[in-house]
């Protein structure tokens, strides 16, 4: 099935560093969601975005709905070891009367103390 | 509040056997989604229900797969007969009609078919 392009595929960073990842598509989206998945668990919803240009924070996490509606960004400030996991973007395409989420390929984050 | 509940958490079965995965959505949620996750294909939507009615099953890979939702608090995904390529993690997610597009996932069932 279709997936969103997510980058980078993986990141290895030092504790305390900031992290940036993004999700892009050739299609326009009405909704962007960011999830985190820990090993052996289901994805957990972090942030939901519903309006172009919207900037939303959840603790140290900040996500933005791109102004073109074709991309979204997630930033994590001052990373800590428990930030380790796989981060997925997901979205619902405009012009489709559907409830179906399209998922990104994931960014695997590793944080070293 | 209890989240989405899935059972079993792990299932190991032999090729040709029937497998039934179970899901209890969050109480009050109107939508239920079944996903499959593999390394090769990522997260794929298999089927989803709204008010217990299947809306889109275009992601169901073959006739060997079937899903039911007999009531608002229970759904099953059945594979009969199972094959080794069905090995994956199967997730159930639910969503409220009033919470826009936010889906909440269960812990998943890791299926291994030998």
């Amino acid at each position: 099935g279709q997936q969103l392009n997510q980058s980078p595929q993986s990141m290895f960073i030092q504790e305390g560093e900031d992290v940036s990842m993004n999700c892009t598509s050739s299609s326009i989206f009405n909704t962007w969601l960011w999830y985190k998945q820990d090993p052996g668990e289901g994805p957990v919803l972090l942030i939901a975005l519903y309006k172009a240009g919207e900037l939303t924070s959840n603790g140290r996490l900040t996500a933005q709905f791109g102004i073109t509606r074709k991309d979204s960004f997630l930033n994590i400030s001052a990373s800590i070891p428990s930030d380790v996991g796989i981060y997925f973007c997901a979205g619902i395409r405009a012009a489709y009367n559907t409830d179906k989420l399209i998922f990104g390929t994931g960014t695997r984050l590793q944080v070293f103390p | 509040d209890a989240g989405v509940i899935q059972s079993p958490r792990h299932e190991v079965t032999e090729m040709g056997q029937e497998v039934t995965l179970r899901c209890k959505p969050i109480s009050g949620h109107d939508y239920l989604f079944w996903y499959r996750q593999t390394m090769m294909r990522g997260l794929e939507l298999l089927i989803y229900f709204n008010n217990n009615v299947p809306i889109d099953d275009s992601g169901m890979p073959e006739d060997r797969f079937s899903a039911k939702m007999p009531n608002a608090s229970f759904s099953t995904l059945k594979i009969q007969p199972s094959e080794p390529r069905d090995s994956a993690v199967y997730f159930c997610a639910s969503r409220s009609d009033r919470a826009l597009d936010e889906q909440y996932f269960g812990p998943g069932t890791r299926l291994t078919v030998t």
Side-chain angles (χ1 to χ4, degrees):
Chain A
Q2 178 178 346
Q3 287 185 323
L4 294 165
N5 299 314
Q6 201 170 335
S7 66
Q9 281 191 335
S10 59
M11 302 181 75
F12 299 85
I13 63 168
Q14 202 85 28
E15 182 178 356
E17 289 183 9
D18 296 343
V19 173
S20 291
M21 60 189 79
N22 67 74
C23 198
T24 60
S25 174
S26 57
S27 302
I28 292 174
F29 280 70
N30 283 336
T31 297
W32 288 100
L33 305 175
W34 284 92
Y35 287 86
K36 182 193 177 204
Q37 186 175 20
D38 290 330
E41 299 295 331
V44 173
L45 182 63
L46 299 173
I47 293 178
L49 302 159
Y50 293 100
K51 191 176 175 182
E54 181 181 354
L55 190 71
T56 298
S57 293
N58 178 5
R60 293 177 297 105
L61 278 60
T62 301
Q64 184 163 23
F65 194 134
I67 199 72
T68 65
R69 297 173 64 193
K70 295 182 178 181
D71 53 15
S72 181
F73 308 89
L74 176 70
N75 294 311
I76 305 173
S77 63
S79 58
I80 59 177
S82 62
D83 291 333
V84 166
I86 304 177
Y87 291 80
F88 291 99
C89 62
I92 293 187
R93 287 179 294 177
Y96 284 76
N97 183 22
T98 178
D99 301 296
K100 295 162 70 168
L101 280 176
I102 308 297
F103 276 85
T105 48
T107 293
R108 185 179 296 271
L109 178 64
Q110 188 66 257
V111 180
F112 294 104
Chain B
D1 287 338
V4 175
I5 298 172
Q6 291 187 247
S7 65
R9 291 295 310 272
H10 302 274
E11 177 82 37
V12 180
T13 191
E14 291 184 347
M15 183 174 64
Q17 296 297 306
E18 177 180 296
V19 175
T20 299
L21 311 181
R22 297 172 175 80
C23 175
K24 176 177 168 56
I26 293 172
S27 177
H29 279 194
D30 310 284
Y31 287 81
L32 185 141
F33 303 80
W34 281 101
Y35 290 88
R36 179 172 66 177
Q37 186 178 41
T38 60
M39 288 293 291
M40 291 295 294
R41 299 175 66 88
L43 267 166
E44 301 175 278
L45 178 65
L46 300 177
I47 185 173
Y48 78 95
F49 297 82
N50 181 20
N51 291 321
N52 313 337
V53 176
I55 303 300
D56 187 332
D57 65 354
S58 58
M60 295 286 261
E62 301 170 31
D63 291 345
R64 298 184 297 106
F65 285 69
S66 63
K68 293 182 179 179
M69 191 163 187
N71 58 63
S73 58
F74 184 66
S75 177
T76 59
L77 178 67
K78 187 175 293 187
I79 309 172
Q80 165 64 15
S82 58
E83 296 183 3
R85 60 193 167 120
D86 301 331
S87 298
V89 182
Y90 291 82
F91 289 104
C92 176
S94 70
R95 197 199 99 189
S96 167
D97 205 17
R98 296 169 296 283
L100 297 174
D101 302 312
E102 298 167 21
Q103 294 183 22
Y104 295 87
F105 283 75
T109 295
R110 179 173 294 277
L111 173 65
T112 303
V113 183
T114 61

